[in-house]
Amino acid sequence: MVGRLVLILGDQLTDQISALREADKGSDIVVMAEVADEAAYVPHHPKKIAFLFAAMRKFAASLSNDGWQVRYTRLDDPDNAGSIPGELLRRAEETGAKEVIATEPGEFRLIAALEECPVPAHLFPDDRFLCSHAEFEAWADGRKELRMEYFYREMRRKTGLLMDGDKPEGGKWNYDHDNRKPPPGSVDAAPMQFTPDAGVEEVLDLVGARFGDNFGTLRPFWFATETGQARRALTHFIKTALPRFGDFQDAMMADEKFLYHSILSMYLNAGLLGWREICDAAEQAYRDGHAPLNAVEGFIRQIIGWREYMRGVYFREGPDYTSRNALNHQRGLPGFYWDAETDMACLSAAVAQTRDEAYAHHIQRLMVTGNFALLAGIDPHEVHEWYLAVYADAYEWVEAPNVIGMSQFADGGIVGSKPYVSGGNYINKMSDYCKGCAYDVKVKRGEGACPLNYLYWAFLDRHRDRFGKNPRMAQMYRTWMRMSDENRAETLESAAGFLAKLGRGERV
Ligand code: FAD
Ligand code: DLZ
Ligand code: SF4
């Protein structure tokens, strides 16, 4: 009997994936493929490509060991058709299969490609997530605003995580107020690193040869590439970093790229880990008295709250979400996003770290690279493509709502009720960047002033029609209007001069 093809994508690397659960080991054939189309729809960071290819190869081998028939295509296979539908067609011709089963991809682009695939494809829901599309719709329908906090409480009740009967553990749902400490003097944690084995080295050579010109440093490469390693990285995080995760969640340090963050998102998003095992391990650390509630609640909120909420927004809003531009921002992405060549120490550090690690933590993404792009009026689609390319954990379902919604306010306020913007003060409070900067964070306008200071006011001024009546921003507009006419004019002049320089491609 000719079976069906079972497509497993690069970010679906778990034997719990719905397509495999639906498949018949005796007759169906697993198809996995490293293809040029997926590797090049944005110029992915070489570490991201290497991570996925290495993890795909190991997962395919584990499926074969488990008795599955697997057809795996390597990137340099001369018969490689170059795209997922192309590979499915080739494998269908080769095996006589007439049908494909797959788990719904995390990007509309690929869902559309499978819908148009010459071999009919049946998609099963991706039930690695806590909240299904229907459940998110039911929660969102009829609400004036989709506030993550309320969604999160539902997810706490649904999972039973950090619950004390029907009440939140400790009496409060959210301990964010305790999670805003400035940088510590030193950091006594680091993510677990893995030495590449021969198989990973082979992938690194391939990626170096094919994608070596992409933005991003390939070596040293230390990511986990299989579930066993990712689980060790999880245990290591729980033991060494989780207790201080909450306190320093928002802090940024030039020489400490990871602080007390978990560095697990790439493993979770690719399927090497599941949300349940991560959250259970974190909760257990709290119950054992190893980690405090503010840390564990803050960490679990990111996963069952923000992560699930972002996915819900992406699938609810639809394929046009990534082209939204509510603030009509049109400026091109500055060159320094690709080479870190800027005198702004915060931006230089965040971009350099991104280049070296394919990683930056949430506040660096939101309040440094995201904040600058928003203040400078960069086209949100260009910003979106940058984020999708440069982070090892980036897939549209999670990247787009974070960038288009939370960071750039390009969705007009679905994800956030006000834009996340700040001047230099916030960065100075939460990081050690400013002390090594060519600009002076204390100077508000004119020569040598921190550009974020005047760009912030210029942004508010430019968008006064939209935000002037927002109660959460009223105080800032009052401060702006209390400035003398002369100071306001000089502030706008500084911003215009800076943006003109940026527009001419000069170093800023
Ligand atoms: P930790 O700080 O240790 O947090 C624990 C986990 O919570 C993460 O592993 C992640 O799975 C989850 N999480 C935390 N915040 C979010 C969030 N806002 N949305 C979804 N999940 C969250 N995350 C991605 O996984 N992929 C992306 O492409 C991505 N792009 C982002 C772009 C911008 C502009 C912003 C502001 C945030 C983005 N995030 C993205 C969310 C967040 O920055 C990363 O999940 C986090 O930095 C990953 O590092 P970590 O594993 O050390 O996370
Ligand atoms: C990101 C990525 C890359 C770089 N390469 C591949 C690949 O060659 N083969 C594959 O199956 N998946 C790859 N992926 C992940 C897909 O792009 C991802 O499945 C979709 O973007 C949906 O999330
Ligand atoms: Fe960034 Fe301004 Fe601080 Fe320089 S002074 S690091 S530009 S916030």
Side-chain angles (χ1 to χ4, degrees), residues 8-11 33-35 38-39 41 44 48-49 52-53 56 84 105-107 109-110 395 397:
I8 302 293
L9 293 165
D11 55 352
E34 300 165 7
V35 291
E38 291 308 305
Y41 66 91
H44 299 286
K48 176 182 182 183
I49 304 177
L52 282 180
F53 286 5
M56 284 170 69
I84 296 294
E107 302 193 350
R109 154 194 84 71
L110 203 49
Y395 307 92
W397 65 265

Side-chain angles (χ1 to χ4, degrees), residues 344-346 424 427 433-434 437 439-441 450-452:
M344 293 179 281
C346 52
I427 292 177
Y433 294 142
C434 299
C437 187
Y439 295 102
D440 188 340
V441 71
C450 165
L452 300 182

Side-chain angles (χ1 to χ4, degrees), residues 250-294:
D250 289 1
M252 297 174 280
M253 293 172 82
D255 294 330
E256 292 289 349
K257 305 169 196 171
F258 307 110
L259 281 113
Y260 294 97
H261 289 273
S262 68
I263 332 297
L264 294 175
S265 51
M266 61 206 169
Y267 309 143
L268 177 58
N269 294 350
L272 302 190
L273 293 175
W275 65 267
R276 181 46 102 172
E277 61 187 313
I278 298 179
C279 292
D280 281 351
E283 181 176 29
Q284 196 55 49
Y286 167 68
R287 304 262 175 229
D288 292 346
H290 170 64
L293 187 53
N294 70 308

